[in-house]
Amino acid sequence: MAKPRKLKAKSAARRQPPAAARGPQATHRDATALDQEHCERFLLHEARLLDEAKFDDWLSLFTPDGWYWVPSEPDQDNPHDTVSLIYDDRRLLETRVRRLASPRIYSQEPRSRTSRIIGNVSVEESGAHACTVRSKFLMIEYRRESQRLFAGTAFHHLVQADGGIRIASKRVDLVNCDAPLDGIVVPF
Protein backbone atom coordinates (compact mmCIF):
# COMPACT_ATOMS: atom_id res chain seq x y z
CA MET A 1 0.00 0.00 0.00
CA ALA A 2 2.85 2.40 0.66
CA LYS A 3 4.12 2.15 -2.89
CA PRO A 4 0.89 3.34 -4.56
CA ARG A 5 0.82 6.37 -2.24
CA LYS A 6 4.35 7.32 -3.25
CA LEU A 7 3.49 6.93 -6.91
CA LYS A 8 0.39 9.06 -6.42
CA ALA A 9 2.45 11.78 -4.75
CA LYS A 10 4.98 11.71 -7.58
CA SER A 11 2.34 11.80 -10.29
CA ALA A 12 0.55 14.66 -8.54
CA ALA A 13 3.81 16.60 -8.50
CA ARG A 14 4.24 15.96 -12.23
CA ARG A 15 0.74 17.31 -12.90
CA GLN A 16 1.55 20.62 -11.18
CA PRO A 17 1.42 23.43 -13.75
CA PRO A 18 4.66 25.09 -14.81
CA ALA A 19 5.68 28.31 -13.08
CA ALA A 20 4.20 30.41 -15.89
CA ALA A 21 0.75 28.92 -15.26
CA ARG A 22 0.72 29.37 -11.46
CA GLY A 23 -0.45 32.96 -11.53
CA PRO A 24 0.94 36.44 -12.12
CA GLN A 25 3.01 36.63 -8.92
CA ALA A 26 4.74 33.29 -9.56
CA THR A 27 5.31 34.19 -13.19
CA HIS A 28 6.90 37.51 -12.26
CA ARG A 29 9.17 36.02 -9.59
CA ASP A 30 10.07 32.77 -11.37
CA ALA A 31 10.33 33.75 -15.03
CA THR A 32 11.29 37.38 -15.26
CA ALA A 33 12.65 38.62 -11.94
CA LEU A 34 15.54 40.98 -12.51
CA ASP A 35 17.35 40.14 -9.29
CA GLN A 36 20.99 39.09 -8.97
CA GLU A 37 20.31 35.35 -9.22
CA HIS A 38 18.04 35.49 -12.29
CA CYS A 39 20.32 37.93 -14.12
CA GLU A 40 23.37 35.78 -13.46
CA ARG A 41 21.54 32.67 -14.65
CA PHE A 42 20.50 34.55 -17.78
CA LEU A 43 24.10 35.55 -18.57
CA LEU A 44 25.27 31.97 -18.09
CA HIS A 45 22.52 30.80 -20.44
CA GLU A 46 23.59 33.36 -23.04
CA ALA A 47 27.22 32.19 -22.77
CA ARG A 48 26.15 28.58 -23.23
CA LEU A 49 24.15 29.40 -26.35
CA LEU A 50 27.18 31.14 -27.84
CA ASP A 51 29.56 28.31 -26.91
CA GLU A 52 27.19 25.79 -28.50
CA ALA A 53 26.91 27.97 -31.64
CA LYS A 54 23.15 28.34 -31.20
CA PHE A 55 23.21 31.79 -32.72
CA ASP A 56 19.51 31.91 -33.67
CA ASP A 57 18.61 31.20 -30.05
CA TRP A 58 21.11 33.86 -28.96
CA LEU A 59 19.51 36.37 -31.33
CA SER A 60 16.09 35.59 -29.85
CA LEU A 61 17.36 36.87 -26.48
CA PHE A 62 17.48 40.42 -27.90
CA THR A 63 14.53 42.78 -28.00
CA PRO A 64 13.35 43.90 -31.48
CA ASP A 65 15.23 47.18 -31.01
CA GLY A 66 18.22 45.62 -29.22
CA TRP A 67 21.84 46.39 -30.13
CA TYR A 68 25.30 44.92 -29.56
CA TRP A 69 28.39 47.11 -29.25
CA VAL A 70 32.13 46.42 -28.90
CA PRO A 71 34.00 49.76 -28.60
CA SER A 72 37.45 50.20 -30.17
CA GLU A 73 38.78 52.55 -27.47
CA PRO A 74 38.91 52.29 -23.68
CA ASP A 75 36.12 54.34 -22.05
CA GLN A 76 34.54 55.14 -25.43
CA ASP A 77 31.41 57.21 -24.76
CA ASN A 78 29.25 56.22 -27.70
CA PRO A 79 29.41 54.27 -30.96
CA HIS A 80 28.84 57.32 -33.17
CA ASP A 81 31.95 59.47 -32.58
CA THR A 82 34.56 56.75 -33.19
CA VAL A 83 34.64 53.63 -35.29
CA SER A 84 33.74 50.58 -33.21
CA LEU A 85 34.96 47.00 -33.49
CA ILE A 86 31.30 45.97 -33.69
CA TYR A 87 28.14 48.03 -33.57
CA ASP A 88 25.10 46.02 -34.62
CA ASP A 89 21.49 47.07 -34.38
CA ARG A 90 18.84 44.33 -34.68
CA ARG A 91 19.06 44.23 -38.50
CA LEU A 92 22.85 43.83 -38.46
CA LEU A 93 22.60 41.25 -35.67
CA GLU A 94 20.27 39.23 -37.89
CA THR A 95 22.75 39.52 -40.76
CA ARG A 96 25.62 38.42 -38.49
CA VAL A 97 23.65 35.36 -37.34
CA ARG A 98 22.69 34.47 -40.94
CA ARG A 99 26.34 34.63 -41.98
CA LEU A 100 27.41 32.49 -39.02
CA ALA A 101 24.80 29.89 -40.00
CA SER A 102 25.97 29.76 -43.61
CA PRO A 103 28.11 26.76 -44.58
CA ARG A 104 30.03 29.08 -46.92
CA ILE A 105 31.42 31.49 -44.34
CA TYR A 106 35.12 31.43 -45.20
CA SER A 107 36.19 33.15 -41.97
CA GLN A 108 34.73 30.19 -40.07
CA GLU A 109 36.16 27.33 -42.09
CA PRO A 110 36.77 25.35 -39.93
CA ARG A 111 34.36 26.60 -37.29
CA SER A 112 35.69 28.21 -34.14
CA ARG A 113 35.27 26.36 -30.89
CA THR A 114 34.77 28.63 -27.90
CA SER A 115 34.56 28.46 -24.15
CA ARG A 116 33.33 31.34 -22.02
CA ILE A 117 33.63 32.00 -18.32
CA ILE A 118 31.31 34.59 -16.78
CA GLY A 119 31.97 36.01 -13.32
CA ASN A 120 31.73 38.96 -10.96
CA VAL A 121 28.12 39.55 -11.97
CA SER A 122 26.50 42.56 -10.32
CA VAL A 123 23.28 44.46 -10.86
CA GLU A 124 24.43 48.06 -11.29
CA GLU A 125 21.13 49.86 -11.84
CA SER A 126 17.67 48.46 -11.33
CA GLY A 127 14.17 49.68 -12.09
CA ALA A 128 10.70 48.16 -12.09
CA HIS A 129 11.13 46.26 -15.38
CA ALA A 130 14.76 46.85 -16.40
CA CYS A 131 18.27 46.71 -15.03
CA THR A 132 21.90 47.09 -16.05
CA VAL A 133 24.12 44.12 -15.25
CA ARG A 134 27.91 44.28 -15.21
CA SER A 135 30.00 41.13 -15.55
CA LYS A 136 33.54 40.02 -16.30
CA PHE A 137 34.14 37.47 -19.02
CA LEU A 138 36.88 35.35 -20.48
CA MET A 139 36.43 33.77 -23.91
CA ILE A 140 38.80 31.30 -25.48
CA GLU A 141 38.47 30.78 -29.23
CA TYR A 142 40.19 27.85 -30.90
CA ARG A 143 40.45 27.58 -34.68
CA ARG A 144 43.05 26.28 -37.13
CA GLU A 145 45.41 25.05 -34.42
CA SER A 146 45.49 28.50 -32.89
CA GLN A 147 43.97 29.76 -29.67
CA ARG A 148 42.94 33.33 -28.92
CA LEU A 149 42.01 34.76 -25.57
CA PHE A 150 39.56 37.63 -25.09
CA ALA A 151 38.70 39.18 -21.75
CA GLY A 152 36.80 42.21 -20.58
CA THR A 153 33.70 43.65 -19.02
CA ALA A 154 30.19 43.26 -20.40
CA PHE A 155 27.27 45.56 -19.67
CA HIS A 156 23.84 44.10 -20.40
CA HIS A 157 20.75 46.27 -20.24
CA LEU A 158 18.10 43.66 -19.47
CA VAL A 159 14.34 44.13 -19.62
CA GLN A 160 11.29 42.06 -18.79
CA ALA A 161 9.53 41.18 -22.03
CA ASP A 162 7.56 38.31 -23.54
CA GLY A 163 7.34 36.53 -20.19
CA GLY A 164 11.10 36.45 -19.71
CA ILE A 165 14.30 38.44 -19.65
CA ARG A 166 15.56 40.03 -22.89
CA ILE A 167 18.65 42.00 -23.89
CA ALA A 168 17.88 45.60 -24.83
CA SER A 169 21.58 46.31 -25.30
CA LYS A 170 24.93 44.64 -24.77
CA ARG A 171 28.22 46.51 -24.54
CA VAL A 172 31.48 44.53 -24.46
CA ASP A 173 34.59 46.39 -23.31
CA LEU A 174 37.58 44.27 -24.31
CA VAL A 175 40.72 44.69 -22.22
CA ASN A 176 42.74 45.03 -25.45
CA CYS A 177 40.12 46.84 -27.56
CA ASP A 178 42.71 49.29 -28.95
CA ALA A 179 45.22 46.58 -29.93
CA PRO A 180 45.43 45.14 -33.45
CA LEU A 181 42.82 42.38 -33.58
CA ASP A 182 42.54 39.80 -36.32
CA GLY A 183 39.00 39.37 -37.70
CA ILE A 184 36.39 39.05 -34.98
CA VAL A 185 33.56 36.87 -36.18
CA VAL A 186 32.12 35.04 -33.18
CA PRO A 187 30.17 37.28 -30.75
CA PHE A 188 31.46 37.72 -27.20
Side-chain angles (χ1 to χ4, degrees), residues 19-34:
R22 290 186 210 147
Q25 186 119 19
T27 300
H28 176 73
R29 293 186 53 83
D30 294 345
T32 64
L34 292 173

Side-chain angles (χ1 to χ4, degrees), residues 6-180:
K6 286 182 182 177
L7 290 174
K8 276 187 176 181
K10 284 182 180 177
S11 64
R14 284 186 205 133
R15 286 192 307 259
Q16 187 174 13
R22 290 186 210 147
Q25 186 119 19
T27 300
H28 176 73
R29 293 186 53 83
D30 294 345
T32 64
L34 292 173
D35 59 12
Q36 176 81 22
E37 179 186 348
H38 284 87
C39 291
E40 187 168 358
R41 239 188 279 154
F42 180 84
L43 297 185
L44 295 174
H45 173 68
E46 179 197 18
R48 185 175 187 169
L49 291 176
L50 290 167
D51 282 344
E52 294 175 356
K54 295 180 178 177
F55 299 116
D56 284 321
D57 293 338
W58 175 68
L59 179 63
S60 72
L61 297 179
F62 283 83
T63 61
D65 59 346
W67 50 268
Y68 171 64
W69 179 33
V70 183
S72 63
E73 295 179 352
D75 303 317
Q76 187 173 335
D77 288 336
N78 66 67
H80 306 291
D81 294 341
T82 305
V83 173
S84 299
L85 296 173
I86 299 172
Y87 181 55
D88 291 351
D89 61 8
R90 178 60 186 231
R91 186 178 51 84
L92 288 173
L93 274 171
E94 290 169 359
T95 302
R96 180 177 299 280
V97 167
R98 254 194 335 270
R99 283 196 327 244
L100 285 166
S102 171
R104 296 183 183 147
I105 184 169
Y106 174 75
S107 60
Q108 281 294 284
E109 188 56 45
R111 298 284 175 167
S112 293
R113 295 192 310 246
T114 61
S115 182
R116 290 166 177 78
I117 298 171
I118 308 297
N120 298 354
V121 177
S122 62
V123 176
E124 298 289 303
E125 296 176 17
S126 185
H129 302 285
C131 68
T132 301
V133 180
R134 176 189 177 117
S135 63
K136 296 292 184 175
F137 75 93
L138 178 66
M139 182 183 101
I140 298 165
E141 178 185 32
Y142 178 78
R143 185 173 164 271
R144 291 192 176 168
E145 299 181 22
S146 179
Q147 185 168 290
R148 296 196 301 174
L149 185 67
F150 297 96
T153 305
F155 296 91
H156 287 75
H157 184 69
L158 303 178
V159 297
Q160 294 173 325
D162 303 325
I165 299 174
R166 297 288 176 258
I167 302 169
S169 66
K170 179 178 179 179
R171 174 185 172 141
V172 177
D173 290 337
L174 293 174
V175 171
N176 62 335
C177 64
D178 52 350

